[in-house]
Amino acid sequence: MDALLTDLLDVLRRTGLDAVLILAGAAGLGGLGYAVVHRSLRALMGDLEWAAPLRGALLRRTRAPLRILAPVLCVYLALPTVRASLPGVARTVLGNALQALVVVGGAWMLVAVLYAVEEAVSVRYETDTPDNLQGRKIVTQTRILRRIAATVITIVAAGLVLMQYEPFRELGTGILASAGIAGIVVGVAAQRTLGDLIAGIQIALTQPIRVDDAVIVEGEFGWVEEITLTYVVVQVWDRRRIVLPITHFLEQPFQNWTRTSTDLIGTVFLYLDYTVPIDDLRAELRRIVEASEHWDHDVAGLQMTDASERTVTLRATASAKDAPTLWTLRCEIREKLVAYIREHYPDALPTLRTRLETSEDGERLDNDGDAQGPM
C-alpha cells in the first residue's frame, strides 16, 4: 500500500498534477473559509445592520471582491510550495497572473469599502428632511472624496498590473514613477478632464453647492441632484435635468437659495389703482399667512414699492421653510389677495381714466382740449 502511494505521488510529481491539486485545494479552502466567515458575521449581526449601517454596508459591498480575493490569496500563498513542480514558463505566467489578481482584488476591495462608507454616511445623514443642511454638507463631501479616492486607487492598481508584464512594464513604471502620483495629478490637471477633477476637489472643500441645494442656473430653478468629478446634474421643477460641467459653478455666477439655510423669503407683486386701501390689504395679508400651513411664522409684510402714472406697485413678502413650500405660499397669497380685492375693492383694480370737459358753448372736449361736437 505504501509503495502504491509512493508511485502515485511520483507520477503526480512528474506530470505536475500535484501542483494543480494543491493549488485547487488552496482555492477551495479559501472560498470555503470566506463563506464560513461571511455567514458567521451575518448571523452574529442579525438585526444590528440598521443600528450600525457601516457594518451592514461593509458586508454587502465587500462580498463580491472577497469572494474572488480570498481564493486568490490562498493560491498565491500556496504557490511557493509547488514552484519546483511547475515548468519555468508556467511558473512565470501563473505568478504574474496571481499578482495581478491580488492587485485587482485589493483595489476592488478598497473601492468597495469606500462605497460602504458613503452608503453608511447617506443612511446616517438623511437629505430628505426639512432641516438637512448639515447632512447635505457631509453627504456631498463624502461622495466627491469617494470618487477622487476611487480614481486614485484605480490608477495605482492599473500601474501595478501593467508592471507585471514585460511589454507594458515601461508604461506601468511611467504611471507610478515619473514624478509620482502627485506629479501625475498635477501634470494632467492642465488637461480638461482632470482639470474638472481639481474643480471637484475645490467644490468638495469650499462647497458653493451641495446635494439637494435649491439653485437657479441657466435661468432655471431646480435642485442639485448629483455631483460627480466632472459634472453636476440639476433637476428642474418640471423633472427635466440640466447637466453642467463642474467648472461652471466655479467660473459662472449662479443663485444658491439654500447656501446657509433652507428657509426663504418670497415676494408677490400687485399692480393696483391709487385708490387701493393699503392698510386693509396689509391686514388681509396677515390673516392669509396666519391661516396658511405653509407659512413659518417669521416674515410677512406689505409695502408700496413703486408708483407709475397709472398704478401703484405693492410688494407682499412672506417666508417659508424651503423653496417648494415658499412657491406654494406665494401662489396662495397671490390668489387670495386678488380674490379679496375683486370682492371688496373692485374699483382698486387697474383702470384707464378718461376725463371729459365741456366748453362754454356746450361742446365736449377730449383730454387734449379739441372740440368733439355739442353734448
Side-chain angles (χ1 to χ4, degrees), residues 92 96 161-174:
T92 302
N96 291 338
V161 170
L162 290 174
M163 289 181 63
Q164 305 301 319
Y165 302 96
E166 186 63 34
F168 305 104
R169 183 165 298 171
E170 185 176 350
L171 177 60
T173 305

Side-chain angles (χ1 to χ4, degrees), residues 30-210:
L32 180 62
Y34 157 74
V36 172
V37 172
H38 182 78
R39 289 181 180 274
S40 300
L41 290 176
R42 292 287 294 182
L44 288 174
M45 284 193 58
D47 296 332
L48 293 178
E49 183 172 332
W50 296 107
L54 180 58
R55 300 177 187 176
L58 283 173
L59 282 178
R60 289 192 304 272
R61 294 286 184 175
T62 60
R63 180 188 307 169
L66 280 178
R67 189 177 295 166
I68 303 298
L69 189 59
V72 170
L73 281 175
C74 289
V75 173
Y76 185 75
L77 294 175
L79 183 61
T81 61
V82 298
R83 188 179 297 273
S85 302
L86 296 174
V89 176
R91 188 186 311 130
T92 302
V93 172
L94 185 59
N96 291 338
L98 288 174
Q99 290 179 5
L101 287 174
V102 169
V103 171
V104 172
W108 190 4
M109 179 70 178
L110 292 176
V111 172
V113 171
L114 293 176
Y115 272 100
V117 172
E118 180 187 358
E119 180 180 332
V121 170
S122 300
V123 173
R124 173 64 178 82
Y125 299 94
E126 298 180 355
T127 59
D128 55 354
T129 57
D131 188 12
N132 58 1
L133 180 63
Q134 183 69 15
R136 291 187 289 111
K137 178 179 179 180
I138 295 176
V139 168
T140 300
Q141 287 181 332
T142 304
R143 188 169 299 177
I144 295 179
L145 293 177
R146 187 269 301 166
R147 290 191 173 105
I148 295 173
T151 301
V152 173
I153 291 172
T154 303
I155 293 175
V156 173
L160 292 175
V161 170
L162 290 174
M163 289 181 63
Q164 305 301 319
Y165 302 96
E166 186 63 34
F168 305 104
R169 183 165 298 171
E170 185 176 350
L171 177 60
T173 305
I175 292 178
L176 292 180
S178 296
I181 298 300
I184 295 174
V185 175
V186 174
V188 189
Q191 305 299 321
R192 182 68 178 179
T193 301
L194 287 188
D196 292 342
L197 174 62
I198 301 300
I201 298 175
Q202 188 172 350
I203 290 288
L205 296 177
T206 60
Q207 292 202 342
I209 56 172
R210 291 176 291 266

Side-chain angles (χ1 to χ4, degrees), residues 330-360:
R330 290 173 61 199
C331 294
E332 182 180 354
I333 291 174
R334 188 181 295 110
E335 293 172 2
K336 293 185 176 181
L337 279 181
V338 170
Y340 178 80
I341 295 169
R342 187 173 61 247
E343 179 180 355
H344 295 86
Y345 303 101
D347 294 338
L349 295 173
T351 58
L352 179 61
R353 291 184 174 85
T354 300
R355 186 179 64 184
L356 298 177
E357 297 180 353
T358 304
S359 63
E360 294 179 358

Side-chain angles (χ1 to χ4, degrees), residues 220-223 234-242:
E220 298 278 3
F221 174 79
W223 294 267
V234 177
Q235 180 182 356
V236 188
W237 65 273
D238 57 1
R239 298 183 181 178
R240 290 179 292 123
R241 265 69 172 178
I242 300 178

Side-chain angles (χ1 to χ4, degrees), residues 318-336:
S319 59
K321 62 181 180 179
D322 53 35
T325 307
L326 179 63
W327 170 263
T328 306
L329 178 62
R330 290 173 61 199
C331 294
E332 182 180 354
I333 291 174
R334 188 181 295 110
E335 293 172 2
K336 293 185 176 181

